[in-house]
Structure formats: C-alpha cells, structure tokens
Amino acid sequence: MLRPWQISLSQRIDAARSEPVYMQIIQAVIRDIESGRLTSGSYLPSSRELAASLGVNRKTVVLAYEDLIAQGWLSSAGTRGTMVSTALPDPGLPASRDVAEPDAPAQAEYRFAAAPASPLALPEGPGLKLDEGAPDGRLFPIELLSRAYRAAAQRLTRRNGLQYRDPRGAPALRESVAEMLKSQRGLPVTADNICITRGSQNSIFLAASLLIRPGDAVIVEELTYEPAVAAFAARGAKIVPVGLDGDGICLDDVEAACRRNRVAAVFVTPHHQFPTTVALRPERRLRLLDLARQFGFAVIEDDYDHEFHFASQPLLPMAAYAPGRVIYAGSLSKLLLPALRVGYIAAPVEVIEALAHVVSLVDGMGNTLTENAAAELIDSGELSRHARKVRQVYAQRREAFAEALDATLGDHVSYEMPPGGLAFWLRFASEQTLDRIEAGAAGAGLRFASSRSFMTRPGAARGLRIGFASLDEQEARRALQALRSILD
C-alpha cells in the first residue's frame, strides 16, 4: 500500500534521551500533524515498517499508535492500516513548514506582558551577593523549625486541618500576629483585622489590587522600594514621585500632588525609610495622616523590619493611632527565614474581608502548614528568644561594618549610622566614583542592586544600599575590600 507520508521521525527519535521512545514517537507524530506535514486522512506506515525504519521494537510502535488512537489523533482503518483522524481540522499551515526539533525551546505565539529589561530581584550567579538588608539564615536553628513543623503537622492532622481553609490565613497565626502587634506595637487589632500573606511584596500587591483603579495616582518618595512601584504600575497606577530629605517624605510635595491628581495611596516605609534608612519624624507622620483624611487616600505603611532597632525604642507605627487610614504591612521573614514567605496585613475588618476575596482569586489559601509552624514558634516563645539573640549579633555586625567602611572606603563614602534596620545607605563623593564601582562590580566578583533601581525620578540622589546582617565580619571585610579594589 502506498504511504505518501515521508518518514522523518528517525531524525527526531533518540534512544539515549531520558524520555521513553514510544513517547518520543507520539510527540513526533503530533508535531507533524500540527505542522501540516501529516494531513487529515493520511496513512501512516505500518507498525512493522516504522519499527524497522526507526530501529526499535515493533511493540514500541504499536504502543505509540494505540495511545495516539485513544487520544483521537489517529484512527484505525482496519486492514487498510492506520490513518490521521478525519475529524481533525486543517491546521491551515503549509505542509512545507519547518518542524521544531524536540528539544528546541518553544516561543510564545500570543501577546503577553513581557518581563522588564532589568529584573526586580538580583538573579543567582557567581560572586558575592550584597543584599539590601536580608537576615542571616544561618543563625536560625533548623531544629527549632523542624520541631515547629512536626508539632503543627501533628496537631492539624488530629483535627483534619490540612484542608482548604480561610483565605485570611491560619487562625492560630492570625491570633498570634494580632497579639504581637497589640502588645508590642500598639495596634488596636484582633485576629479579624489580620490577613496572612506570602511576604511583604505580596502584601503590597494585594493592597494595590484593592485600592487602585487604572489612572489613579500613587505617591512614592523619589527614592523607594522598586518592587512596590512595579506592583502599583502593574495595577495601572500613575506613579507620582515626591521629595525626600533627612526627616523623611516631603509633605508639601504630597499636598501639591494631591491637588493635581486623583490619589489612591501614599506608599511609605516610615520606620527605616527604604533605601536611605531615615525615620519619618513624628510631626510628619501626623501631617501625612491629616492629608490622608483630607484627600481620602490610604497610607500603605510597609514596616518591613520593625524588630531591628539599635539606637533607641522604635516609634509606634502610624497604624497604631490612625488604623482607619492605614493599611499596615509587615513580615516575619526577617525574624524567621525569607524562604518561608510569611507576611501579614493589618487593616479594618471590611478591608480584610476584601483582601480575602483577592487571595481567593489568586491563591485560594495560604500555606497552612507553614503558617501553623510559625504560630508554634511565636506561642512557644522561641521566636522572641531568637529575636533577642540575633539583635545582639546584628548590633555587633553593624558596628563592625561601619569600622570596615571607614577603613576601606572612608575617603570615598559618606553615611549616617542607621538607627535600625539591616542595611547602610552609602553616598559617594562623586557620581563618577559610583559609576566606576557599578561598572566594575562583576569583575570584582560582586553583585548588588543598581543605584538607579531606587530612583523614581531623574535627579534623585544616587547611592548604594548594602546589607550588613547576612554577612559575618570576615565576609563583610572581603566585600568592602573588593569594592575598594575597583577604585584602586
């Protein structure tokens, strides 16, 4: 019987690949059908002929044909052989079209929002990564985490708690977070005011989903947290940068922006401003909240590292005395481990209910096991004990980092000793010096966030935010010496 289909499978079947040969045959036949090389009603070689041409066992081809018939790609024509199903539509492609190689990467044939040219997070790669204020995960006792997970799993299993559940988060963790915020930070909250999230960035995006309609303005400082700006922009917000000085956000600029725009939110990091580490002064906090009342916008207060303050007692969050005007975002990542992705939002009950609806759309629920393990660590007191220990370690590293800065880059760098947080904001004697450092970083084996990644408008002061907590003293000296080597 004539077989008009010219066999090309032999060029695409490789027994050395990890994929079973019969599956390679299936995929090759489907590709030829989709490309137009095999048209509806075309006959395929017999299983014996195809097996001989491919150099495989006939049973392998029979298995592939049977699977293709079951899927509807082929049909059996009895004694006449096996043919491409006549029910398949014409692919509308020329039969001469090139067929992609099996291992060739697929390319999208549809519209989608492409990733930006510069990633928001530093990609993994060679060299020493200088983060922007991460904790040292090596300090958290892994046996504590193991015990907490085991206890949480046992307790949840006994009460059939490993099911789909409340999108606001595990009740035990919401209770623990509410008690922590009430007793330590003065927030007038209960568990009903808490929504557990997958970290502070997830909190920011969830808040943006509630607050922003396309065309709304979001006010940010001229130096700020780039992923937050990207989240607002992704929701269709108009980003409005305002000034920043040694006392925090410039409120005259905020008021002027409110008179020119339909402002949905103002995003601030008042405890330790990101990236400059300055604290927002009390009088400015009160005026910002008054502007929120006057113009009807929400204050998104990102309190990403409240636990780490070394010079004095931290100021109370704005959400403690104006809970109706603030969406308060926090995280346990700095105390636990960033990889656990445990954050939270505190807000009025009706806002939490709306957030739960958004969580239901994008996630359905959080990570029940991890959230209950985090509650175990809080309720047992282990988290508090760990916090006291690492605060002492980070305080020592902060002092040592400042000494190493003075010894290696003192003639090129100026900085204010950060009162809290886990990073320094470094300003350079000239932009040319900063340009040389950024250009030579890769060659010196260093990776860090670009100075321009913090800028929301041209002309903002450039600098580098360098975390000190995740590096021991030896690693920190080596990193700073590498920075110095670029200049030398």
Side-chain angles (χ1 to χ4, degrees):
M1 183 180 293
L2 292 177
R3 295 288 185 263
W5 180 45
Q6 298 299 313
I7 300 173
S8 64
L9 296 184
S10 58
Q11 299 175 358
R12 288 181 271 147
I13 305 300
D14 183 358
R17 287 166 55 190
S18 59
E19 196 172 23
V21 172
Y22 87 94
M23 186 61 68
Q24 296 182 46
I25 296 172
I26 289 172
Q27 293 177 352
V29 170
I30 291 173
R31 279 194 296 271
D32 275 6
I33 293 173
E34 290 182 331
S35 70
R37 289 194 74 251
L38 268 175
T39 57
S40 178
S42 299
Y43 281 93
L44 276 72
S46 70
S47 59
R48 195 178 307 277
E49 291 171 335
L50 186 54
S53 68
L54 297 178
V56 301
N57 190 292
R58 177 171 173 263
K59 290 182 179 180
T60 301
V61 178
V62 170
L63 183 61
Y65 276 8
E66 288 176 347
D67 206 328
L68 287 163
I69 291 170
Q71 292 181 33
W73 293 100
L74 304 181
S75 60
S76 175
T79 58
R80 289 181 296 169
T82 303
M83 62 188 292
V84 179
S85 173
T86 56
L88 295 176
D90 184 345
L93 299 171
S96 61
R97 175 183 172 181
D98 292 336
V99 180
E101 290 299 316
D103 295 326
Q107 294 190 343
E109 299 180 23
Y110 44 81
R111 294 192 306 274
F112 67 100
S118 299
L120 292 176
L122 285 179
E124 293 299 321
L128 181 62
K129 176 182 177 181
L130 301 179
D131 58 58
E132 298 159 51
D136 190 342
R138 297 168 294 188
L139 298 178
F140 194 90
I142 199 66
E143 63 272 11
L144 291 183
L145 189 62
S146 300
R147 287 204 301 267
Y149 266 102
R150 188 181 305 113
Q154 291 172 344
R155 185 174 288 109
L156 289 166
T157 301
R158 284 196 296 268
R159 62 171 188 259
N160 196 24
L162 293 171
Q163 306 292 331
Y164 292 109
R165 49 86 173 153
D166 193 332
R168 293 176 297 175
L173 184 56
R174 289 168 55 219
E175 291 280 359
S176 299
V177 168
E179 178 58 31
M180 178 188 70
L181 295 180
K182 186 175 181 179
S183 62
Q184 299 177 18
R185 306 185 195 181
L187 271 68
V189 294
T190 68
D192 291 337
N193 297 108
I194 304 298
C195 181
I196 303 301
T197 68
R198 301 294 187 95
S200 58
Q201 180 62 24
N202 182 228
S203 297
I204 293 167
F205 190 84
L206 290 171
S209 299
L210 287 190
L211 297 172
I212 298 169
R213 297 170 296 168
D216 283 347
V218 174
I219 294 175
V220 299
E221 293 150 311
E222 62 184 1
L223 295 171
T224 193
Y225 184 53
E226 183 185 21
V229 176
F232 302 139
R235 297 297 303 168
K238 174 185 176 183
I239 305 301
V240 180
V242 297
L244 172 72
D245 61 25
D247 290 330
I249 190 170
C250 295
L251 276 305
D252 288 344
D253 291 359
V254 172
E255 182 172 359
C258 288
R259 297 190 183 283
R260 295 192 302 268
N261 300 277
R262 186 181 71 209
V263 177
V266 173
F267 174 75
V268 286
T269 50
H271 191 47
H272 306 127
Q273 200 277 339
F274 191 98
T276 67
T277 77
V278 303
L280 183 61
R281 299 288 300 168
E283 62 272 18
R284 295 201 184 187
R285 293 176 181 230
L286 293 174
R287 187 179 172 199
L288 177 60
L289 292 170
D290 188 57
L291 289 173
R293 177 195 56 76
Q294 180 181 350
F295 291 100
F297 59 75
V299 176
I300 302 176
E301 182 177 14
D302 182 10
D303 202 359
Y304 60 93
D305 61 0
H306 184 95
E307 298 82 5
F308 302 109
H309 211 77
F310 308 111
S312 62
Q313 286 297 314
L315 293 169
L316 288 178
M318 289 185 287
Y321 43 92
R325 300 175 212 166
V326 176
I327 291 180
Y328 182 78
S331 172
L332 297 179
S333 297
K334 299 289 192 298
L335 276 179
L336 292 170
L337 295 167
L340 292 181
R341 311 309 308 133
V342 181
Y344 53 84
I345 286 176
V349 172
E350 63 271 22
V351 175
I352 296 300
E353 291 173 351
L355 284 168
H357 174 67
V358 178
V359 172
S360 298
L361 296 178
V362 300
D363 185 21
M365 56 182 282
N367 188 325
T368 299
L369 191 55
T370 294
E371 291 173 18
N372 279 272
E376 290 278 345
L377 291 168
I378 295 173
D379 296 342
S380 67
E382 294 290 0
L383 190 62
S384 295
R385 284 189 283 274
H386 176 68
R388 287 194 295 271
K389 183 184 78 172
V390 296
R391 265 196 293 267
Q392 294 176 354
V393 173
Y394 294 154
Q396 294 170 359
R397 290 184 180 182
R398 168 176 166 266
E399 297 290 339
F401 194 85
E403 292 176 6
L405 265 176
D406 293 339
T408 55
L409 291 165
D411 51 341
H412 293 286
V413 166
S414 62
Y415 64 91
E416 300 290 335
M417 179 71 90
L422 303 179
F424 278 65
W425 176 244
L426 307 183
R427 301 182 300 276
F428 290 81
S430 68
E431 290 208 355
Q432 291 75 20
T433 300
L434 179 52
D435 288 338
R436 285 171 59 195
I437 285 178
E438 292 191 312
L446 297 174
R447 293 180 294 122
F448 49 78
S450 161
S451 61
R452 290 183 170 82
S453 68
F454 310 115
M455 300 167 59
T456 57
R457 66 181 178 189
R462 290 173 60 198
L464 294 180
R465 182 179 167 96
I466 303 296
F468 63 84
S470 63
L471 306 173
D472 63 31
E473 294 182 21
Q474 184 177 0
E475 291 167 336
R477 284 195 297 270
R478 189 166 75 247
L480 293 174
Q481 287 165 357
L483 285 175
R484 178 71 199 210
S485 71
I486 299 171
L487 299 178
D488 291 340

